[in-house]
Amino acid sequence: MKGYRFSKYIPQKTAGQSAFDNLLNIFLQLISITGGDAGEALSWLTNLDKQYNITNGNYGIGDFIEDLKGKGYLTEQNGDGKFQVTDKTGQEIRKSSLEEIFGKLKKSGKGQHKTSFSGIGDETGTDRRPFEFGDSLQQIAMTDSIRNAQINNGFGEFKLTENDLEVIETEYKTQTSTVLMIDISHSMILYGEDRITPAKKVAMALAELIKTKYPKDTLDVIVFGNDAWQIEIKDLPYLQVGPYHTNTIAGLELAMDILRRRKNANKQIFMITDGKPTCMKVGIKYYKNAFGLDPKIFNKTLNLASQCKRLQIPITTFMIASDPYLKEFVKEFTAANNGNAYYSSLKGLGHVIFEDFKRNRRKRF
């Protein structure tokens, strides 16, 4: 009987990629983890090369650094001799995140959101209906109309009348305004688990998806710890957690304020978090309690969820933890808003968010 022979696994490099491209993929991951510190990322890359022999004698890390500068990914124009990443680097990280999480999506020139309502639009549907005055010639289903003419008028003498015509329904499209809330409290890196990096990747992928496929939509990103503030999409790759509690209330208030200024009828909030609300601001002071669900904080959070429901702003919560008392919080919070909730692992977070985002394209909030 033949047995198995095990040997050291040597991963193959991606086919068709140059030495620069292979190193760039690793470098972009490291830049995101280090919060945009190019020097630290290059130091890690050098250590990885020493340990795993990533490069060969023909192309080393020094050559890679020169190519990074030549291709516009790094700059030394700050005067202190330190490397800094450029906007091109951030854009490349967002594109890489999009392909990693959502797959290779074809770019669409008119990326807008479908609804379940049909009418005068520019998206071809599957339903058929009789021709009506005002329908364009492009909408006429020729095969179906000719078949109707043969059935209604016989084969002897072909005749096509208005009553034989069928048209293909087109669908209305909507614009959607989304606010993505990201928890940056200290628990996002506790217990040896890096939760912030997957959250950043999802945010970058969602931003790139909306930018390329649904350019008329809006996406605003806010982060919340002790307070909440809005960040630019270009700053997402370099986002880091802080020594913060979780002020979900401040995040929701800011999200609602942003969405009030948006003119779109369809609005939604996506919230990525790994814990319960533990902080709120009372006047100029912070009220904090990290032990269990504090009624004062919890009730205020539920009140905001109910306000969003009245404003027809659904909240989808992505809880990347599975403690029983956290599930109870999410259950009550979701019921107050009539929104959705997912208990997702870090590995499946991107796919879950994408599916929910895609599902929301087809309904009016």
Side-chain angles (χ1 to χ4, degrees), residues 7-8 62 143 168 180 187 218 296 303 325 356:
S7 61
K8 181 179 178 181
T143 302
I168 304 172
L180 179 62
S187 61
T218 64
K296 185 174 181 178
N303 288 339
Y325 71 96
D356 198 73

Side-chain angles (χ1 to χ4, degrees), residues 241-294:
V241 302
Y244 306 129
H245 285 258
T246 307
N247 192 343
T248 309
I249 294 169
L252 290 172
E253 288 176 337
L254 179 56
M256 293 168 65
D257 185 54
I258 292 171
L259 289 175
R260 284 192 192 100
R261 300 194 298 266
R262 296 300 183 189
K263 303 303 181 184
N264 294 337
N266 294 338
K267 302 174 182 182
Q268 62 182 344
I269 296 173
F270 285 172
M271 179 170 67
I272 303 174
T273 182
D274 71 336
K276 62 188 183 300
T278 60
C279 174
M280 63 182 292
K281 204 165 186 180
V282 181
I284 60 173
K285 294 183 178 181
Y286 294 98
Y287 175 84
K288 304 173 182 176
N289 183 4
F291 302 97
L293 284 172
D294 185 287

Side-chain angles (χ1 to χ4, degrees), residues 130-141:
F131 176 85
E132 296 176 358
F133 178 76
D135 291 331
S136 66
L137 294 175
Q138 289 81 3
Q139 287 180 257
I140 295 176

Side-chain angles (χ1 to χ4, degrees), residues 125-192:
T126 57
D127 297 331
R128 303 289 192 271
R129 62 170 174 80
F131 176 85
E132 296 176 358
F133 178 76
D135 291 331
S136 66
L137 294 175
Q138 289 81 3
Q139 287 180 257
I140 295 176
M142 294 305 301
T143 302
D144 297 318
S145 299
I146 292 172
R147 185 190 63 240
N148 292 339
Q150 292 173 339
I151 293 172
N152 296 334
N153 306 313
F155 291 93
E157 183 180 350
F158 179 75
K159 183 170 63 173
L160 182 67
T161 67
E162 182 178 334
N163 293 331
D164 302 322
L165 296 178
E166 282 191 23
V167 299
I168 304 172
E169 282 279 33
T170 55
E171 297 175 349
Y172 280 119
K173 289 182 179 179
T174 65
Q175 297 174 8
T176 300
S177 291
T178 303
V179 171
L180 179 62
M181 295 172 51
I182 303 176
D183 185 350
I184 58 167
S185 62
H186 190 54
S187 61
M188 292 289 278
I189 56 169
L190 280 180
Y191 315 116

Side-chain angles (χ1 to χ4, degrees), residues 81-147:
K82 293 183 179 179
F83 290 124
Q84 286 186 342
V85 293
T86 63
D87 291 341
K88 182 178 180 179
T89 303
Q91 184 180 20
E92 197 68 32
I93 294 174
R94 293 197 301 273
K95 288 182 179 179
S96 175
S97 298
L98 176 64
E99 292 193 1
E100 177 183 343
I101 293 174
F102 293 162
K104 295 183 178 180
L105 300 174
K106 294 182 180 179
K107 186 174 179 181
S108 171
K110 295 184 178 179
Q112 302 184 38
H113 298 273
K114 298 178 184 176
T115 69
S116 57
F117 303 99
S118 61
I120 301 174
D122 55 3
E123 178 76 5
T124 301
T126 57
D127 297 331
R128 303 289 192 271
R129 62 170 174 80
F131 176 85
E132 296 176 358
F133 178 76
D135 291 331
S136 66
L137 294 175
Q138 289 81 3
Q139 287 180 257
I140 295 176
M142 294 305 301
T143 302
D144 297 318
S145 299
I146 292 172
R147 185 190 63 240

